[in-house]
């Protein structure tokens, strides 16, 4: 499988659609341990990113330009802390595939892992701190590990998707060390982290895309 800018246009539209469906649910999760805007932020960011990528001429724009356009649009559309985190993730994905006219499967896995790394470095959060890193880190590690073992891309992302979902579920029992929820101490126990939930949705959408279900 080779992934072109046109494919990325489809991928960003798929992500935006799946996030839009879960917008209110994500706001409810954020309402419990944050300020209730996470669904609105992710919906606005993903919608803006999809629009910016869709506006590119795939004959002119390489995948790196698509990721960069998505990063800029996401940042401009979102005032919440998820804005710079995803903008950094998308910029890192773009940098990981710089100069590639189209993406090999290996490029795609590296771009995916670069997103997780970007989020982690930008937010300085480690796994276990009840953030989106608890979904992104294990998902990237699962994809990288499966890919290195020689597994096919759809299986690699199936692993990633499961790891993201498990990681998201695990945030329920954590206290938060980063972000707004960190001010609430033990009161956040019992609630899933909204950023981990949206990350799991995005990673599931990417999995559908590589499995041609999108
Ligand atoms: P805000 O908290 O500014 O309202 P959002 O509601 O859009 O931003 O996003 C909240 C989510 O951002 C949290 O659920 C958490 O997953 C994530 N988050 C917050 N701070 C960090 C951080 N330093 N590193 C990684 N993720 C973070
Ligand atoms: Mg919020």
């Amino acid at each position: 499988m080779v992934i072109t800018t046109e494919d990325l246009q489809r991928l960003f539209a798929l992500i935006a659609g799946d996030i839009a469906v879960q917008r209110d649910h994500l706001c409810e999760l954020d309402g419990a341990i944050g300020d209730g805007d996470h669904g609105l932020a992710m919906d606005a960011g993903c919608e803006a990113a999809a629009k910016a990528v869709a506006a590119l001429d795939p004959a002119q724009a390489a995948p790196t330009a698509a990721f960069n356009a998505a990063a800029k649009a996401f940042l401009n559309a979102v005032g919440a802390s998820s804005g710079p985190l995803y903008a950094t993730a998308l910029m890192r994905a773009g940098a990981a595939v710089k100069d590639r006219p189209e993406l090999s499967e290996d490029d795609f896995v590296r771009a995916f892992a670069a997103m997780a790394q970007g989020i982690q470095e930008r937010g300085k959060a480690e796994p276990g701190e009840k953030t989106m890193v608890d979904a992104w880190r294990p998902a990237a590690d699962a994809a990288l590990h499966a890919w290195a073992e020689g597994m096919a891309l759809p299986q690699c992302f199936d692993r990633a998707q499961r790891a993201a979902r498990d990681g998201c579920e695990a945030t329920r029992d954590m206290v938060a060390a980063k972000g707004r929820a960190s001010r609430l101490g033990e009161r956040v126990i019992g609630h899933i982290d909204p950023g981990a939930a949206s990350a799991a949705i995005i990673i599931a959408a990417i999995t559908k895309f590589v499995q041609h279900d999108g």
Side-chain angles (χ1 to χ4, degrees):
M1 178 187 189
V2 157
I3 294 140
T4 63
T5 296
E6 216 169 336
D7 294 324
L8 293 179
Q9 291 177 325
R10 205 159 46 78
L11 172 59
F12 277 99
L14 177 61
I15 292 170
D18 285 0
I19 286 289
V21 168
Q22 299 292 328
R23 187 190 67 180
D24 294 349
H25 172 62
L26 292 171
C27 282
E28 277 167 31
L29 293 178
D30 197 31
I33 64 169
D35 58 355
D37 67 348
H38 188 63
L40 296 173
M42 292 304 294
D43 186 33
C46 292
E47 177 71 35
K51 273 208 178 116
V53 175
L56 298 172
D57 176 0
Q60 304 289 327
T64 185
F67 285 119
N68 288 333
K72 197 188 278 184
F74 200 106
L75 188 64
N76 289 339
V78 178
S81 32
S82 43
L85 291 165
Y86 274 102
T88 303
L90 291 162
M91 263 157 47
R92 292 294 186 85
V97 299
K98 203 167 177 287
D99 304 327
R100 296 282 203 278
E102 53 193 25
L103 308 184
S104 66
E105 294 185 350
D106 186 66
D107 292 333
F108 192 76
V109 173
R110 287 188 304 99
F112 180 70
M115 288 189 68
Q117 195 61 30
I119 287 169
Q120 211 173 339
E121 285 174 20
R122 175 75 204 217
K124 299 186 168 59
E126 294 295 327
E129 295 188 322
K130 202 181 181 92
T131 71
M132 60 176 77
V133 169
D134 287 301
W136 274 104
R137 184 74 263 160
D141 288 346
L144 285 170
H145 185 76
W147 184 243
E149 300 257 288
M151 237 174 258
L153 195 68
Q155 278 70 54
C156 293
F157 275 89
D158 192 53
R159 294 285 178 92
Q161 148 177 267
R162 285 162 195 275
R165 209 169 48 208
D166 291 350
C168 170
E169 253 326 299
T171 64
R172 198 185 285 282
D173 300 326
M174 296 174 189
V175 293
K178 294 286 186 312
R180 273 175 214 286
S182 64
R183 301 174 203 155
L184 299 177
E186 307 241 315
R187 274 161 54 200
V188 302
I189 292 178
H191 299 281
I192 280 177
D193 176 65
S198 60
I201 294 165
I202 290 171
I203 294 162
I206 297 171
T207 304
K208 280 197 280 183
F209 166 78
V210 302
Q211 297 179 347
H212 300 291
D213 281 345

